[in-house]
Each structure stands twice: as structure tokens, then as C-alpha cells.
């Protein structure tokens, strides 16, 4: 008896078949297989921190998407958060063994902590984004200083009140 090994190493996607001839007495051994393209998507980093951003201003951060597979990768990048915007996100599929850098912009319009998730088609990871919209502190104090004058200890008046106004300008 003899053991025979047959190796299938596809070079293209799709089905393949052949017959392994063993000689006239034994006949042929049919062999089939399917080559399949692989999509392997990697995203780095998977979280972006924009820190504190004043209202009316913007900050950009970038992330890289890499296709380590053998098939084109349809990214389908999307964000659903009004204060975060993808800049220059590709619409065409990413070629095998290629990578791109994508920009996410945070432009807060209201005060406070904001979070957003950027999604992509499977098998890509999601990107978690966070930042805080901050306002400029601007106030006016009138008068700028308080003068309590001189009080005699143990006299008839033991205290003096003064007031000031704080105005948000």
C-alpha cells in the first residue's frame, strides 16, 4: 500500500476540480476545492480622545484602516453624531494589502461631554470618539474691589455690608 498526499493551493477565487490519475487498474480520484478571498480589516487606534474644545472651534484626529486580506474591502465608514464629522472618508473599496488614513473632526456646538461611535462594515472594528465642548469664561465684576472702611471695635456698628455684581458677558 502507498499513501498519496494531494495539495490544493488556489491562486484565484472560485471552484476548481481535477482528477488524480492512479493508473489503469485503480482509476481516478476526483478532487474539488474552492478558493475564497479573505477580507481582514484592522483599525488603529480604536478610540480617539479630542479633549476640551472651545465652542466654535474644531480639532481633527486620524485613524488608519488597513486591509490585510486578499479581497477588496468596502469600508462603509459612517458616524451618526452631529458634532463629529468624517473628513475625506473613502467611498471606493480599499484594495488588498492597502491602508488609508481617515480624519475625524470634532466641532462642538454645545457645552459638555460628547461621545460618538464611527462604524464600518464588518470585519472592521468600531472607533470610539469622545470630547468635551467648553465655553470661554467671561465675566465682569462691579465694583472691582470692596472697601469696608474703618470700624471701631466694640462700637455701635459691628459690621458693614458691601455688595458686588457678577455679570456674564
Amino acid at each position: 500500500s502507498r499513501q498519496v498526499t494531494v495539495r490544493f493551493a488556489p491562486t484565484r477565487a472560485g471552484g476548481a476540480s481535477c482528477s488524480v490519475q492512479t493508473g489503469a487498474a485503480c482509476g481516478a480520484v476526483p478532487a474539488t476545492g474552492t478558493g475564497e478571498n479573505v477580507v481582514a480589516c484592522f483599525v488603529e487606534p480604536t478610540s480617539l480622545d479630542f479633549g476640551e474644545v472651545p465652542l466654535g472651534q474644531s480639532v481633527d484626529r486620524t485613524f488608519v484602516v488597513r486591509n490585510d486580506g486578499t479581497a477588496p474591502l468596502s469600508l462603509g465608514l459612517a458616524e451618526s453624531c452631529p458634532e463629529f464629522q468624517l473628513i475625506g472618508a473613502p467611498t471606493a473599496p480599499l484594495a488588498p494589502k492597502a491602508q488609508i488614513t481617515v480624519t475625524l473632526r470634532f466641532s462642538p456646538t454645545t457645552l459638555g461631554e460628547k461621545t460618538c461611535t464611527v462604524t464600518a462594515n464588518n470585519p472592521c472594528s468600531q472607533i470610539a470618539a469622545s470630547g468635551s465642548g467648553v465655553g470661554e469664561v467671561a465675566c465682569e465684576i462691579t465694583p472691582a474691589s470692596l472697601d469696608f472702611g474703618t470700624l471701631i471695635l466694640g462700637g455701635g456698628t459691628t459690621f458693614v455690608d458691601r455688595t458686588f455684581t457678577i455679570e456674564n458677558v
Side-chain angles (χ1 to χ4, degrees), residues 26-80:
C26 294
V29 177
T32 61
T34 303
E36 186 175 331
N37 286 320
V38 175
V39 175
C41 180
F42 294 93
V43 177
E44 190 177 47
T46 56
S47 65
L48 299 171
D49 183 2
F50 289 84
E52 292 184 343
V53 179
L55 299 182
Q57 295 184 23
S58 297
V59 171
D60 292 349
R61 298 278 188 262
T62 60
F63 59 95
V64 173
V65 181
R66 191 175 76 234
N67 179 2
D68 284 349
T70 58
L73 174 65
S74 176
L75 294 177
L77 291 171
E79 57 12 72
S80 60

Side-chain angles (χ1 to χ4, degrees), residues 131-150:
S132 186
V134 295
E136 294 182 30
V137 177
C139 63
E140 185 175 300
I141 298 175
T142 309
S145 64
L146 300 174
D147 183 359
F148 289 90
T150 304

